[in-house]
Structures are given as structure tokens and as C-alpha cells.
Amino acid sequence: MGKIDYRKIYDTNRDQWKALTSEPQKYEALLAGHYSESNHFVYELLQNAEDESADRVVIEYYDDRLVFYHNGDPFDEKDVRGVSSMLMGTKDRDSAQTIGRFGMGFKSVFKYTYQPEIYSDDEAFIIENYLLPSEIDGGWNFQDEKENLLYKVNGRPYKPFANEEHLTKIVIPFLKRNNQGELVKVSGREVLQKLEELTGEILLFLNHIKELYWVNKRTGKFAMITLGQDDTDVNLVTCRINIPGKPEEVNRYLKFKKVFDHP
């Protein structure tokens, strides 16, 4: 099991935000409602993975949940504090490379869930009532999960994390509490629509992620988006998109390396 003191963080947050955490469903406008798009959290999860230096992301869509994997740096205690706090993130304010590591951005997942689950190497926890982290008894075996994750791309086996050092999994159950505190199912249709709208351009604005695979586990539909240096010109980036039943889409982009100020 991990070494993070979840109980200490839990008690601190509970004492500071007792009113808010008692009936969190009444505070959604404050905690998760400041995003114009309810499915904004897909971008937030990608940005979080980018800020952890992940270069590979896999997203599984189910009718009742979303599962997000990446191979970036694992969660530490500072990350747990950031992801379960109101206004505190863990990004380096002096770095232009990190633009939203946890903090309020992650709260957008609560548009779709009452209790996200986070598994990261030796750590495993849930976030209750927006702000209260609790360790998951028994955790998970991330080494086994790395080996067992298997997909097919164009008829070939694809094991994205078998040889990776780290693995993080974020589970977003499509369940929320109504005003009476009862758990009710939430439709993830808009989340699926956001996945289907993803293009190679989303990766051009990131420095680390070079491979993004998402799959609808009910229908089997998937898309594989990869970025790589062009074979003919070192200044070009080649983006390839593979979708079943369609020819491979290949686009090339000129990516600027430096930004110059106007005189």
C-alpha cells in the first residue's frame, strides 16, 4: 500500500469546508459549474496527463463510466492535496509549460460523477463530496493492469502500457446525487461526442503527449491519433488518425519552436 496519509488530508479538508461537504450537490454551481461545456473535463484530463509528462493516453468509454489511462508521473501527496482542494493546484507558477495541473480544473468531472476514483502506481483513492480523499481498501495491482490492457488497432494487438514504468487510471462513474441525496444515473452521451470530435490539433498544443487512443467499449469504435516528426522535414510534425472503416488520415503541420515578441 502507499505511504500517503489520506486521513490527515481528509480531516483537514472536512474541518475547513464542513458546510460545503455536507450537501455537495447544492454547491455544483460553485465547484463544477463554471465551465460552459459540461464535457470540458475531457480536455482537463488530457492537460493533467500532459503536466505529468505522459506521452501516451488511452480513454475507454462505457455507458456507465469513463476510464482514463496515462503513463505520466504518479500521484504524490502534493497532487492529492491539489486534486481534492478548492483553490489550490500543484502547478509551478513560474513555468509556462504547466497551465493547469489539478486545482479547480479537475472539479469539472463532478458534472458527471459524485465520486471519481484515482489509481496511480501504488496509490488508490476516491474523492468524496468534492474535497475529501479516502484511500481505496486493497488498492490495485498496476503491474498486472499494465500487462492486461490489450486492444486491437487495424487487426493488430495493441498493448499501450506493457513496457511503461508508471500507470495512472482515473475512473469517472456516470452517477450523481440529486437534491435529495439519492444516486441517479447520468448520461455520458456528450462525453462520447467530445471524444468523437477530437482531432490531431489537440495534441499540437501539448509538448509531451504523442499518442491518444480512445475506444467505445460497447460498440468497438475507436480512434488512434499519433504525432511524430516528419520523415522528410525536421520542422514538420506528422499527425496520423486511424478510424475503423476509413482510410488513414495524414496531416502535416509546421510547429513553431520559439515565440518572439513584437518590437
Side-chain angles (χ1 to χ4, degrees):
M1 299 297 292
K3 303 299 183 183
I4 294 174
D5 188 347
Y6 294 96
R7 174 51 58 180
K8 182 179 179 180
I9 303 174
Y10 185 109
D11 290 340
T12 299
N13 286 356
R14 182 189 58 191
D15 291 340
Q16 291 178 344
W17 302 96
K18 279 185 177 179
L20 186 146
T21 57
S22 296
E23 298 179 283
Q25 65 273 12
K26 295 183 179 181
Y27 293 87
E28 182 174 298
L30 172 64
L31 288 167
H34 57 288
Y35 292 100
S36 58
E37 292 185 75
S38 58
N39 49 17
H40 178 88
F41 79 86
V42 174
Y43 292 141
E44 288 294 335
L45 293 178
L46 285 172
Q47 183 61 58
N48 293 161
E50 166 73 13
D51 292 341
E52 295 298 339
S53 301
D55 61 13
R56 182 169 296 155
V57 166
V58 169
I59 306 173
E60 297 179 346
Y61 175 85
Y62 299 82
D63 288 339
D64 63 348
R65 67 193 184 279
L66 188 81
V67 183
F68 185 98
Y69 292 97
H70 72 74
N71 65 338
D73 296 333
F75 273 63
D76 57 20
E77 186 156 342
K78 183 184 291 186
D79 294 329
V80 176
R81 290 184 183 278
V83 80
S84 58
S85 299
M86 266 290 288
L87 300 175
M88 182 182 74
T90 59
K91 68 178 182 179
D92 181 356
R93 296 181 183 273
D94 297 324
S95 173
Q97 302 303 314
T98 56
I99 62 173
R101 189 179 176 192
F102 308 129
M104 285 301 290
F106 188 82
K107 297 298 183 291
S108 57
V109 305
F110 288 99
K111 280 282 191 177
Y112 283 90
T113 191
Y114 78 110
Q115 186 172 280
E117 306 166 16
I118 299 176
Y119 306 81
S120 189
D121 282 12
D122 294 322
E123 302 296 337
F125 64 101
I126 58 174
I127 302 177
E128 302 175 25
N129 295 3
Y130 291 94
L131 300 174
L132 307 177
S134 292
E135 188 169 17
I136 296 175
D137 291 338
W140 72 321
N141 189 321
F142 78 99
Q143 298 289 3
D144 283 353
E145 190 127 354
K146 286 193 299 182
E147 289 295 327
N148 293 333
L149 286 174
L150 174 64
Y151 310 92
K152 280 195 174 182
V153 178
N154 297 331
R156 298 180 179 179
Y158 171 56
K159 300 186 71 171
F161 302 110
N163 298 316
E164 300 296 331
E165 181 180 2
H166 303 298
L167 182 63
T168 291
K169 175 174 71 171
I170 301 175
V171 182
I172 311 296
F174 295 146
L175 282 172
K176 290 186 64 176
R177 294 194 185 278
N178 60 22
N179 288 335
Q180 289 71 48
E182 303 164 331
L183 283 177
V184 294
K185 294 181 179 179
V186 177
S187 171
R189 184 176 60 255
E190 290 181 344
V191 178
L192 179 60
Q193 179 182 349
K194 179 64 69 176
L195 293 175
E196 293 176 338
E197 293 173 352
L198 290 177
T199 64
E201 282 83 353
I202 185 66
L203 301 187
L204 291 174
F205 295 95
L206 305 175
N207 291 318
H208 298 291
I209 299 175
K210 304 300 181 187
E211 187 173 288
L212 167 62
Y213 173 87
W214 69 263
V215 59
N216 183 334
K217 295 293 284 186
R218 180 174 61 83
T219 66
K221 180 179 180 180
F222 71 84
M224 169 71 85
I225 304 173
T226 59
L227 287 187
Q229 184 174 298
D230 190 79
D231 294 334
T232 61
D233 188 337
V234 295
N235 295 313
L236 290 177
V237 174
T238 299
C239 174
R240 300 179 182 276
I241 303 178
N242 284 281
I243 298 175
K246 296 182 179 181
E248 181 182 55
E249 180 181 334
V250 180
N251 295 297
R252 291 176 174 83
Y253 302 90
L254 180 63
K255 189 170 183 180
F256 289 96
K257 301 292 185 180
K258 296 181 180 179
V259 177
F260 297 93
D261 293 329
H262 287 289

